[in-house]
Amino acid sequence: DLRAVFNHQWTNEGYFEVTLVALDKKRDTAVSVGLVDVLRDKSNDETGQVGWAKGSWGVHSDDGSWFSEGKDKKCCKGFDVGATVGVG
């Protein structure tokens, strides 16, 4: 059950990019792209967006907010299908 489809590219510098190529907008209003430190906080799971929990950081497509361990800051206008987002 894949709701969002991404193409991705990894680098050796701790940076990656994903391109959102499909999204089921009937089921989802947003996707998040980011990093999760699963060794730091074992409570991170698939029920929330990246950046909401301790030990996670990410940008959300719906409002362009950057979330860092539950605190948010506007960083862009948001993104949709066709956008490439880099994190690192």
Side-chain angles (χ1 to χ4, degrees):
D1 183 332
L2 189 61
R3 298 182 201 168
V5 179
F6 294 96
N7 287 334
H8 63 278
Q9 177 179 346
W10 301 99
T11 70
N12 292 328
E13 291 82 34
Y15 174 84
F16 69 94
E17 291 182 346
V18 294
T19 301
L20 182 58
V21 295
L23 180 64
D24 182 354
K25 290 193 177 191
K26 292 178 184 174
R27 297 178 63 183
D28 297 302
T29 58
V31 296
S32 54
V33 178
L35 304 168
V36 176
D37 182 354
V38 295
L39 298 176
R40 179 173 166 191
D41 185 356
K42 300 281 187 198
S43 68
N44 285 312
D45 60 23
E46 297 178 10
T47 61
Q49 290 205 49
V50 174
W52 287 354
K54 182 178 178 182
S56 69
W57 307 266
V59 63
H60 297 187
S61 67
D62 58 342
D63 59 6
S65 290
W66 172 258
F67 282 81
S68 175
E69 300 187 328
K71 298 176 183 172
D72 68 314
K73 181 177 181 180
K74 186 79 168 172
C75 74
C76 64
K77 65 178 182 174
F79 56 94
D80 205 342
V81 173
T84 299
V85 178
V87 176

